[in-house]
């Protein structure tokens, strides 16, 4: 399709979208600007002020305390440093945080100090000739420009009545310039162009959408920009399935989902377009809930930080959970949001926590939910002994690295391989057949976490020295993958099994690579593996301890010793294995290797979780 045809289609989409929103494009282009309108209206300010004097008094105190501490800060004339990421993170951390916090604090309190600070940072950002990243010879197309655009849009919308006509014109000029650049970059020129499986994509897309919404009725191009942001959002949602899980892990989930909600909230309010019925959005709070490991960690498959936070805006996930709780009247999401907010106390989410927490949704802990859950689109099983601190958690994954929905995009309509189907998949891991065991704050058997993506770092099976493939970022087309073949979840025991032969490189001739985990609650896990190959291959099992876990070989019993819990592995299979405890600067792991290449190898073990006497069970 030519670019001219795309522009024509997007123009038509803009007109249709405006009809859904209750006004035509022509009517909208002549309407008087109405601000604020993005995340609240002027009519809602009294209610917001009442909340800060009542149930939200504590959160308002946090916001006011931040503003009082930073009200004298002056914005730089340029982003410091030459490093792309450092400049971008400064844009997110300093400008977005200050503009949103100062502006909201001013509207609530009418304190002129906050107004002046917000205006200074807003105009400083608008007058800055270049932010972070280029598209060809044009500045401000880097992914972080999305955060800058959201900051400008929010400041313009919330401070509209306190800006002079000349100041408004300055902000509008920059808003329009960045929106147009981001619009062009959605077609070509940036690394994130078309990276629909990468959480970073939603940052510039959300910036484009929120910037367009702020300019509706003031710039005719806004409808075209908005239509494109909607189109890109639809493309993302089409590729991630319906179970609410996220293929990059629970921490990147936060970064992408927050950007998504920053767009979807005002999109519904101002344009009448709602995505809330999409199954992935409906279910996604429960992905984060089941990934939660008490007291303050998460299931850390793929590129995930153990604390579940990511970058600055999503150091905590409370705003995400509050917005979902408000939308679906979900008491469990509200509870988890409160828990995360209390654990993190991040100043960067203050404005969004205050705006999105609905006090009519009463928080309720998860004790009334089944403790275990299967996420079928991502072939992820999370099995819990219970929801209390100290209750062991076992998680197992054995599916396509990008999720099952990705397989629909592996082949073009003409039958040819889609070489670009997985652009932006750099945060996936080669973790099919991998599992983790967590108890009392210890990752006893742990995925590697952020940045360590290869199968050798995972708790999986290496055959011929190789593990399952991960189809990394268009360097390898999406192909066959493993799958969960059995799931049985109950109050006394959970069972999950997977088969991943198809995920291994074809030249290995792997006919079977199967794993079965049976979790007899609360503390016994039975592991059984079966490997079959066309010709003899070396087979190795790796079991990685988490941070601080020491591995001991005690007369053939292997003890994974954490700070508060231990796991003892007793091998029950008969094959003769060479056992070695390995160490590097980061962690220890157990390597079990068949002494001779074989075509048939079976392995089984019982893993007993116990709490150390000196710590006792929490």
């Amino acid at each position: 399709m030519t670019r001219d045809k795309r522009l024509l289609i997007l123009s038509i989409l803009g007109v249709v979208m405006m009809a859904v929103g209750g006004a035509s494009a022509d009517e909208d282009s002549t309407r008087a600007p109405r601000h604020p309108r993005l995340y609240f209206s002027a009519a809602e300010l009294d209610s917001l002020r009442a909340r800060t004097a009542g149930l939200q008094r504590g959160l308002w105190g946090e916001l006011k305390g931040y503003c009082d501490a930073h009200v004298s800060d002056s914005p730089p004339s340029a982003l410091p440093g030459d490093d792309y990421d450092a400049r971008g993170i400064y844009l997110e951390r300093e400008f977005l945080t200050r503009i949103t916090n100062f502006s909201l604090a001013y509207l609530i309190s009418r304190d002129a100090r906050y107004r002046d600070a917000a205006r200074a940072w807003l105009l400083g950002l608008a007058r800055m000739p270049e932010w972070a990243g280029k598209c060809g010879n044009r500045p401000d197309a880097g992914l972080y420009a999305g955060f800058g655009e959201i900051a400008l849009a929010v400041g313009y919308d919330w401070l509209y009545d306190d800006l002079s006509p000349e100041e408004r014109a300055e902000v509008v000029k920059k808003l329009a310039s960045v929106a147009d650049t981001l619009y062009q970059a959605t077609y070509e020129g940036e690394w994130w162009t078309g990276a629909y499986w990468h959480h970073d994509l939603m940052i510039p897309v959300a910036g484009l959408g929120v910037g367009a919404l702020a300019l509706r009725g003031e710039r005719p191009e806004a409808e075209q920009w908005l239509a494109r942001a909607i189109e890109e959002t639809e493309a993302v949602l089409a590729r991630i399935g319906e179970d609410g899980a996220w293929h990059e892990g629970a921490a990147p989930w936060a970064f992408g989902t927050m950007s998504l909600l920053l767009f979807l909230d005002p999109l519904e309010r101002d344009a009448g377009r709602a995505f809330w019925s999409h199954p992935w959005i409906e279910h996604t709070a429960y992905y984060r809930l089941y990934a939660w490991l008490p007291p303050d960690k998460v299931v850390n498959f793929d590129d995930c930080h153990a604390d579940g936070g990511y970058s600055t805006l999503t150091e905590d996930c409370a705003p995400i959970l509050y917005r979902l709780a408000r939308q679906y009247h979900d008491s469990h999401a509200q509870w988890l949001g409160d828990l995360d907010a209390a654990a993190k106390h991040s100043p960067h989410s203050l404005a969004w926590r205050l705006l999105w927490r609905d006090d009519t949704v009463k928080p309720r802990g998860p004790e009334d939910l089944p403790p275990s859950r299967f996420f079928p689109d991502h072939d992820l099983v999370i099995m819990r002994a219970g929801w209390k601190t100290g209750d062991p958690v076992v998680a197992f994954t054995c599916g396509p690295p990008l999720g099952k929905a990705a397989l629909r995009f592996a082949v073009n309509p003409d039958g040819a391989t889609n070489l670009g189907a997985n652009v932006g998949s750099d945060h996936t891991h080669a973790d099919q057949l991998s599992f983790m065991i967590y108890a009392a704050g210890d990752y006893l058997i742990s995925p590697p976490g952020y940045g360590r993506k290869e199968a050798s770092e995972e708790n999986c099976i290496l055959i011929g020295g190789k593990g399952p493939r991960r189809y990394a970022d268009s360097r390898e087309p999406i192909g066959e993958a493993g799958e969960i073949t059995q799931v049985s979840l109950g109050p006394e025991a959970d069972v999950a099994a997977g088969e991943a032969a198809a995920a291994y490189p074809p030249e290995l001739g792997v006919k079977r690579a199967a794993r079965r985990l049976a979790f007899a609650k609360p503390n016994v896990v039975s592991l059984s593996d079966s490997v079959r190959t066309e010709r003899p291959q070396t087979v190795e099992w790796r079991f990685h301890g988490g941070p601080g876990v020491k591995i001991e070989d005690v007369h053939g019993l292997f003890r994974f010793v954490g700070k508060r819990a231990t796991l003892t592995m007793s091998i029950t299979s008969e094959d003769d294995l060479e056992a070695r405890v390995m160490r590097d600067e980061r962690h220890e792991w157990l390597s079990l290797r068949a002494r001779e290449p074989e075509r048939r190898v079976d392995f089984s073990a019982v893993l007993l979780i116990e709490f150390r006497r000196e710590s006792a069970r929490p």
Side-chain angles (χ1 to χ4, degrees):
M1 182 184 293
T2 66
R3 186 169 179 277
D4 289 342
K5 287 183 178 179
R6 287 200 301 263
L7 293 177
L8 176 60
I9 291 171
L10 286 172
S11 297
I12 295 171
L13 282 173
V15 174
V16 172
M17 183 195 64
M18 285 304 302
V20 172
S24 72
D26 289 340
E27 290 170 336
D28 187 74
S29 65
T30 58
R31 73 182 185 182
R34 176 175 52 85
H35 299 284
R37 66 171 188 265
L38 290 184
Y39 298 96
F40 52 83
S41 66
E44 294 172 283
L45 281 173
D46 285 341
S47 173
L48 183 58
R49 294 183 184 113
R51 285 167 48 206
T52 61
L55 293 175
Q56 295 284 20
R57 184 183 294 112
L59 189 49
W60 164 244
E62 286 187 61
L63 178 62
K64 189 176 184 301
Y66 171 87
C67 292
D68 288 340
H70 294 278
V71 72
S72 299
D73 295 350
S74 298
S77 59
L79 296 176
D82 297 322
D83 178 76
Y84 167 79
D85 284 313
R87 288 162 59 87
I89 291 171
Y90 190 94
L91 185 64
E92 173 196 4
R93 184 184 66 241
E94 308 300 339
F95 278 92
L96 179 60
T97 298
R98 282 169 170 77
I99 290 170
T100 53
N101 284 355
F102 286 142
S103 299
L104 186 61
Y106 165 63
L107 289 176
I108 291 171
S109 67
R110 309 308 292 184
D111 188 324
R113 296 178 304 142
Y114 303 153
R115 176 201 63 202
D116 294 344
R119 185 165 56 197
W121 282 85
L122 174 66
L123 295 175
L125 185 59
R127 291 165 180 168
M128 194 177 294
E130 182 181 338
W131 295 344
K134 287 180 177 289
C135 180
N137 293 319
R138 302 186 65 182
D140 302 334
L143 70 96
Y144 294 105
F147 286 135
E149 186 77 344
I150 293 170
L152 280 183
V154 166
Y156 178 69
D157 185 57
W158 294 359
L159 298 176
Y160 185 87
D161 290 337
D162 292 276
L163 298 173
S164 69
E166 294 77 17
E167 290 170 336
R168 292 175 196 156
E170 283 188 271
V171 178
V172 167
K173 181 179 179 181
K174 186 67 171 182
L175 267 172
S177 173
V178 175
D180 188 60
T181 300
L182 292 175
Y183 170 79
Q184 304 293 341
T186 63
Y187 290 108
E188 59 184 1
E190 279 290 313
W191 74 262
W192 54 263
T193 304
Y196 298 117
W197 280 284
H198 200 296
H199 59 273
D200 283 348
L201 173 76
M202 277 312 306
I203 300 169
V205 168
L208 173 62
V210 176
L213 287 166
L215 294 176
R216 291 181 76 216
E218 300 172 49
R219 294 293 293 257
E221 314 97 297
E223 300 306 327
Q224 179 175 281
W225 298 331
L226 183 55
R228 180 59 175 166
I230 291 172
E231 184 180 49
E232 291 287 271
T233 301
E234 291 173 334
V236 171
L237 293 174
R239 287 165 168 79
I240 59 176
E242 298 183 351
D243 63 9
W246 186 253
H247 54 280
E248 296 176 317
W253 166 89
F255 211 34
T257 304
M258 182 63 183
S259 298
L260 175 68
L261 296 180
L262 285 171
F263 177 40
L264 296 190
D265 184 294
L267 178 64
E268 180 185 28
R269 296 179 63 92
D270 192 56
R273 176 66 188 274
F275 279 86
W276 304 113
S277 62
H278 191 284
W280 186 88
I281 301 174
E282 287 188 77
H283 298 149
T284 199
Y286 285 85
Y287 168 61
R288 183 69 186 206
L289 178 61
Y290 277 86
W292 170 66
L293 301 175
D296 57 1
K297 294 182 174 65
V298 296
V299 171
N300 60 334
F301 284 132
D302 295 293
D303 253 7
C304 187
H305 305 293
D307 69 354
Y310 204 96
S311 194
T312 299
L313 182 59
T314 48
E315 286 179 352
D316 71 290
C317 297
I320 301 169
L321 295 160
Y322 288 159
R323 185 61 186 87
L324 295 170
R326 188 179 91 184
Q327 186 64 40
Y328 303 112
H329 307 284
D330 190 328
S331 297
H332 297 117
Q334 188 87 326
W335 174 85
L336 189 60
D338 286 347
L339 195 71
D340 211 35
K344 307 290 179 55
H345 290 287
S346 172
H348 309 290
S349 66
L350 281 169
W352 307 108
R353 281 190 273 149
L354 189 56
L355 285 175
W356 284 350
R357 193 183 191 282
D358 182 350
D359 299 329
T360 66
V361 179
K362 303 304 178 185
R364 186 171 75 248
E367 293 79 13
D368 62 328
L369 295 173
S372 304
R373 187 167 176 132
F374 175 42
F375 295 88
D377 290 321
H378 291 79
D379 282 301
L380 168 66
V381 188
I382 299 176
M383 302 174 279
R384 322 177 75 98
W387 290 101
K388 296 178 182 177
T389 299
D391 286 337
V393 179
V394 180
F396 178 50
T397 184
C398 187
L402 295 171
K404 289 178 179 175
L407 299 179
R408 298 197 303 265
F409 298 87
V411 178
N412 291 323
D414 61 2
T417 299
N418 183 355
L419 295 176
N422 58 338
V423 171
S425 61
D426 262 358
H427 289 284
T428 60
H429 284 209
D431 59 3
Q432 297 174 71
L433 294 178
S434 188
F435 71 104
M436 60 152 286
I437 297 178
Y438 175 94
D442 289 325
Y443 290 95
L444 296 169
I445 293 182
S446 177
Y450 189 89
R452 297 174 178 266
K453 307 169 188 177
E454 302 308 320
S456 60
E457 303 271 7
E458 303 287 345
N459 302 302
C460 61
I461 306 171
L462 301 181
I463 302 174
K466 298 180 180 180
R469 293 163 293 173
R470 68 182 186 91
Y471 309 112
D473 198 14
S474 75
R475 290 185 285 273
E476 184 180 9
I478 294 174
E480 295 298 320
E483 63 177 345
I484 295 290
T485 57
Q486 178 191 3
V487 177
S488 175
L489 306 177
E492 303 297 327
D494 295 332
V495 177
E499 168 60 62
Y504 285 81
E507 65 270 17
L508 295 175
V510 180
K511 299 166 60 177
R512 179 171 175 78
R515 169 163 284 173
R516 183 178 186 271
L517 287 164
F519 181 23
K521 302 176 184 181
N523 67 330
V524 179
V525 179
S526 298
L527 170 69
S528 58
D529 295 340
S530 177
V531 175
R532 302 290 185 268
T533 57
E534 293 176 355
R535 60 186 182 277
Q537 296 282 5
T538 60
V539 180
E540 181 187 358
W541 287 262
R542 291 193 177 183
F543 303 97
H544 296 265
V549 171
K550 303 298 181 183
I551 303 176
E552 303 172 350
D553 182 347
V554 184
H555 307 297
L557 295 178
F558 299 97
R559 300 182 73 242
F560 294 70
V561 182
K563 293 180 180 179
R564 306 188 72 173
T566 65
L567 180 145
T568 302
M569 175 186 290
S570 175
I571 299 173
T572 57
S573 52
E574 296 181 357
D575 286 299
D576 186 20
L577 302 176
E578 177 189 0
R580 292 187 299 169
V581 176
M582 312 292 288
R583 298 175 178 84
D584 62 16
E585 71 284 353
R586 184 178 65 91
H587 76 314
E588 299 185 0
W589 71 94
L590 173 63
S591 167
L592 300 173
R593 183 192 297 266
R595 294 186 183 275
E596 300 293 338
E598 301 282 353
R599 294 196 305 174
R600 300 168 57 90
V601 183
D602 295 307
F603 174 80
S604 61
V606 174
L607 294 78
L608 176 65
I609 305 162
E610 299 175 290
F611 295 91
R612 301 182 65 178
R613 290 183 179 179
E614 60 268 33
S615 297
R617 182 170 181 166

